[in-house]
Amino acid sequence: MSRPTWKRILWQRQPYPDNYIPADSFLASLRRNPNFTPYTYWPLVLACCPITQHLGTIFIFVAVFVRLQQRSLDARVLLWISVACFLAGYLVWEVLNYSAPPRGPSGHHTEYIRSGFKALKSSLLFFLTLMGLAPVLRTLTAATSSDSIWALSACQFLLNTLLADYGCTNAGSQSQERLTSVLSMNAAVSSSVVLASRLPDDLSVFSLVLFAVHLFALFPMLRHRFRVVPPILQVTLTVSISALSFSLIMSLSPFVIALTFGIYVTINVVAPGVLVWAQRYKNEIRGPWDVAVPRVNGNEIQCN
């Protein structure tokens, strides 16, 4: 008497062991890389632009700090540059917000006028607070050796780079800050304060910390919005920041120039190519031995 055909069900008792699978259908549902989407080179290069922009801001800040310490840059000039950059960035921010559709029933123009006054009030309050704290920040690390300061700053900038948020935010949307992006900003600002404490006068400390807040707290917010603009603007911004960082570190040392150039080439040229090349070795096998994945409207639901 032949046994009945095996069925993949649990509610019916069958004359088969619990781990039984027919030999002829064991590999019938084998799938290789079912959810794999191949990458192409140029989209990866474009996706690396925010990383280059972030590293460029760090190189710009370090170059400005060295020039302030060597007294080859006037702190008043840096202060006016920071104010001009803030106004230009705020103008771009408002243009992106103004072009976005309104989020609620309130008037679109009234909402942004109120937000503009609120931002102006907060900026003036921060400006005055930082001006009052400048003498305290200048003597913050007076009892610490310079070697310890350089090592601490390098570690904090490395932490800032690793934890930074390189994603995008649609204009007009309310997005919640990630914990890693907050830690990244805190690390960069802390490193900036530590470096600013090695400057000779209060005005230099005030100008450098204000410049650091613009670079590491405000510019990343604007950079997220730039991810939704046309790619040509994204590339233009990346090239501009890279060129500015090169022009500022040109007088430091040949080693720093070579290191900066190598980092830029590795991130924008080598890394995307390595990822595209490594795709050929991806081999994910799915079969009947895997945990069942529920499907809704033909789409798999990933359960973490």
Side-chain angles (χ1 to χ4, degrees), residues 33-249:
N33 303 327
N35 300 320
F36 175 65
T37 302
Y39 295 105
T40 55
Y41 182 76
W42 292 112
L44 287 177
V45 173
L46 185 63
C48 292
C49 286
I51 304 177
T52 305
Q53 296 168 13
H54 186 83
L55 292 176
T57 57
I58 295 178
F59 295 148
I60 290 173
F61 175 82
V62 173
V64 169
F65 164 74
V66 172
R67 291 175 183 271
L68 283 176
Q69 191 181 38
Q70 297 176 350
R71 298 182 181 273
S72 60
L73 174 64
D74 193 347
R76 292 170 294 183
V77 175
L78 179 61
L79 178 61
W80 285 112
I81 291 177
S82 299
V83 173
C85 291
F86 171 77
L87 294 177
Y90 183 75
L91 179 61
V92 174
W93 177 277
E94 287 300 322
V95 168
L96 293 176
N97 282 341
Y98 187 82
S99 60
R103 297 187 300 269
S106 59
H108 192 52
H109 302 279
T110 306
E111 180 183 357
Y112 286 116
I113 290 176
R114 292 177 180 175
S115 65
F117 281 114
K118 184 178 180 180
L120 180 61
K121 179 182 176 180
S122 302
S123 301
L124 291 177
L125 180 61
F126 174 79
F127 190 88
L128 295 176
T129 303
L130 183 59
M131 183 179 299
L133 290 177
V136 179
L137 297 179
R138 184 174 59 84
T139 59
L140 185 63
T141 61
T144 307
S145 63
S146 297
D147 293 339
S148 300
I149 295 299
W150 309 147
L152 177 61
S153 300
C155 293
Q156 288 180 324
F157 274 131
L158 178 61
L159 183 65
N160 163 258
T161 303
L162 295 177
L163 298 181
D165 183 11
Y166 301 106
C168 63
T169 302
N170 293 328
S173 63
Q174 294 287 348
S175 60
Q176 185 177 6
E177 288 287 342
R178 300 178 181 177
L179 176 61
T180 55
S181 62
V182 175
L183 294 177
S184 173
M185 181 192 66
N186 290 338
V189 174
S190 300
S191 179
S192 306
V193 171
V194 168
L195 289 178
S197 64
R198 315 304 289 186
L199 295 178
D201 56 87
D202 296 341
L203 182 58
S204 298
V205 173
F206 170 72
S207 301
L208 186 65
V209 175
L210 182 65
F211 186 64
V213 171
H214 291 163
L215 283 182
F216 304 121
L218 300 181
F219 177 71
M221 301 169 58
L222 185 62
R223 188 186 66 216
H224 295 164
R225 298 292 179 90
F226 269 109
R227 292 294 302 272
V228 298
V229 301
I232 185 63
L233 297 180
Q234 184 76 248
V235 174
T236 302
L237 178 63
T238 304
V239 173
S240 301
I241 294 178
S242 302
L244 179 60
S245 63
F246 265 117
S247 63
L248 291 177
I249 67 174

